[in-house]
Amino acid sequence: MRALLSMLLLALLCQPAAAERLDDSLSTQQQFDLDLNWKHSGNTDTLDERQLNALTAEARHVEIRLNTAAYVGQQGSIYLGLPIDIRGSGDSTALRMSWETNGLFSSGSVSAGNRAKIFEGEITDAVMTDVFRLTFDIDARQVYNTLRFQPVFEIETF
């Protein structure tokens, strides 16, 4: 019985820290009206159905401010995620978001239902701020209304 309890305790201690949601309400803009453009133009005769229905949009100079006051002095990883259910879309594969930053956070991309690491290291500031350039790739076949979603920022400390 002791061996079993020891193994269970060891298994619990080896589990990764649970992610906690970060408050991003200090960010300057919470909603965007985007102009959609066809990703491929010109000779559409050579495009497959996916390419023919590919839309793209950009949001430049998006200032993201994350409240990390509770984690100052700790080591951690910060993630950006998209919810699996995107309002206005019939399929979670209809949207992919990528971004470039000014350097505090890492550039990357994510699809609905997933997350990507944007920071790893010591949390040194109560509010971590960076400017993002967001690019959205959208499958027009799966969109039936205005797309509405909120990216989620999470932190895991170690």
Side-chain angles (χ1 to χ4, degrees), residues 26-126:
L26 299 172
S27 298
T28 55
Q29 192 171 0
Q30 298 294 321
Q31 291 186 6
F32 305 98
D33 291 324
L34 302 173
D35 292 325
L36 298 174
N37 298 299
W38 294 108
K39 191 167 189 173
H40 305 282
S41 60
N43 186 5
T44 57
D45 295 339
T46 62
L47 301 179
D48 63 24
E49 187 178 354
R50 181 187 54 81
Q51 293 169 324
L52 191 61
N53 289 285
L55 295 170
T56 188
E58 285 189 352
R60 299 173 186 254
H61 309 293
V62 178
E63 187 174 24
I64 302 294
R65 298 177 184 175
L66 302 178
N67 182 349
T68 51
Y71 308 97
V72 171
Q74 297 181 52
Q75 295 289 321
S77 295
I78 297 176
Y79 298 87
L80 187 162
L82 290 180
I84 187 93
D85 293 321
I86 304 290
R87 267 184 53 199
S89 168
D91 190 317
S92 64
T93 63
L95 176 72
R96 180 164 197 80
M97 183 175 81
S98 58
W99 60 90
E100 295 175 4
T101 70
N102 281 351
L104 174 63
F105 296 126
S106 299
S107 297
S109 66
V110 69
S111 58
N114 294 299
R115 67 182 192 162
K117 187 184 298 185
I118 62 170
F119 178 85
E120 183 171 277
E122 183 177 356
I123 309 300
T124 58
D125 297 310

